[in-house]
Amino acid sequence: MRLHRYLAHAGVASRRKSEEIILAGQVTVNGVPVIELGTKVGPDDVVAVDGEVVRPAGHVYLLMNKPAGYVTTLSDERGRRTVMHLIPDVGAPVKPVGRLDMDTAGLLLLTNDGDLAARLSHAKYGVEKEYLATVLGQPDEHGMDRLRRGIFIEGQKTAPAEAHLVAPLNSAGTSLVSLVIHEGRKRQVRLMLAAVGCPVVKLVRTRIAHLVQKGMKPGECRTLHMKDVQRLRALVGLER
Ligand code: URA
């Protein structure tokens, strides 16, 4: 197996990122630094990245219903609870795919399939992510239209989105808005809704592609069915 593929299988990074890691001189095979991209390795070779031995594990795919109050990182220097505290020991180095803000709840994928993770997070593949936002006030038709057409955030326009009002303004002064976006920019949904004058007070991701949150308790984590994995991989142009 080629070295970059081996690294991707070991959950180090996507194949492309693994190539960069090799070129950066971070990889050794049997103790010898290797920077040739075509290098082949077999089961008896010992491959290390930054001195740490890595091995290809079978791919593991977890779907979590993340509760609010957890950060989406592997560890947190400020000692906050991370999503890694919620996953079972799967014997493989799974990582969150993209991120949810600490205050955001809902669906989060974790995997050691580096190629799938990279494509699911890349705007180019336009994978749908659906959010249900409780907002202060209620966006008017003009605001809804702006959400759909795209809004400038930090100088860059968001891609067209689907937006609709799920519940109108209630006596507490909030309404419920559903947004389907195809990118994953930092705090994107909060920034989009704030831009139309309706700051988010609660945010839940209810869907990633065809995967829905329905029936999962907060903090629950389950292994994806193979047919779901195949559907996700096919969606982003990876072989089954
Ligand atoms: N958009 C946000 O604003 N926050 C999230 O956590 C995810 C998407």
Side-chain angles (χ1 to χ4, degrees):
M1 186 189 294
R2 294 213 172 182
L3 188 53
H4 66 300
R5 216 156 161 241
Y6 186 101
L7 295 180
H9 275 247
V12 171
S14 69
R15 271 187 246 179
R16 180 167 321 165
K17 198 101 194 104
S18 295
E19 288 183 346
E20 289 171 22
I21 293 172
I22 296 166
L23 289 173
Q26 291 170 256
V27 181
T28 55
V29 178
N30 305 323
V32 180
V34 168
I35 53 164
E36 281 83 36
L37 289 180
T39 305
K40 291 210 169 135
V41 284
D44 296 334
D45 290 315
V46 178
V47 177
V49 178
D50 294 331
E52 212 168 292
V53 174
V54 296
R55 281 185 207 295
H59 285 157
V60 175
Y61 305 85
L62 296 177
L63 185 66
M64 175 189 294
N65 186 10
K66 172 192 174 299
Y70 286 78
V71 288
T72 313
T73 47
L74 297 180
S75 61
D76 186 67
E77 63 212 11
R78 287 154 63 188
R80 293 175 298 181
R81 294 178 299 182
T82 86
V83 292
M84 302 314 280
H85 291 125
L86 295 171
I87 63 167
D89 181 10
V90 287
V94 294
K95 292 180 188 161
V97 178
R99 61 188 289 285
L100 289 177
D101 300 333
M102 177 160 147
D103 294 338
T104 303
L107 287 187
L108 182 70
L109 263 173
L110 298 108
T111 184
N112 57 345
D113 180 344
D115 290 327
L116 180 67
R119 291 194 182 196
L120 287 177
S121 316
H122 201 297
K124 177 170 130 189
Y125 296 95
V127 175
E128 289 190 348
K129 270 97 44 178
E130 184 167 348
Y131 293 87
L132 193 60
T134 307
V135 299
L136 286 182
Q138 177 184 316
D140 57 16
E141 254 326 297
H142 174 63
M144 284 301 223
D145 215 46
R146 285 182 62 210
L147 292 171
R148 289 180 189 123
R149 279 186 289 127
I151 286 184
F152 277 95
I153 294 176
E154 284 145 12
Q156 206 191 330
K157 200 173 179 184
T158 57
E162 287 161 43
H164 72 270
L165 189 66
V166 176
L169 202 61
N170 59 19
S171 55
T174 63
S175 65
L176 213 50
V177 177
S178 155
L179 259 191
V180 180
I181 60 172
H182 305 86
E183 313 154 281
R185 290 168 58 187
K186 205 169 170 196
R187 298 182 75 77
Q188 179 167 345
V189 172
R190 291 173 197 275
L191 293 172
M192 286 174 77
L193 285 158
V196 298
C198 295
V200 169
V201 291
K202 185 177 169 200
L203 189 59
V204 182
R205 179 151 70 186
T206 54
R207 183 167 66 85
I208 302 169
H210 69 285
L211 302 172
V212 292
Q213 182 202 27
K214 219 168 123 192
M216 290 184 77
K217 297 190 196 80
E220 188 179 330
C221 207
R222 69 171 173 86
T223 305
L224 278 192
H225 298 299
M226 212 49 222
K227 66 173 181 353
D228 287 323
V229 173
Q230 288 173 345
R231 206 164 148 187
L232 281 181
R233 287 180 60 88
L235 181 70
V236 295
L238 290 169
E239 79 285 357
R240 288 168 172 238

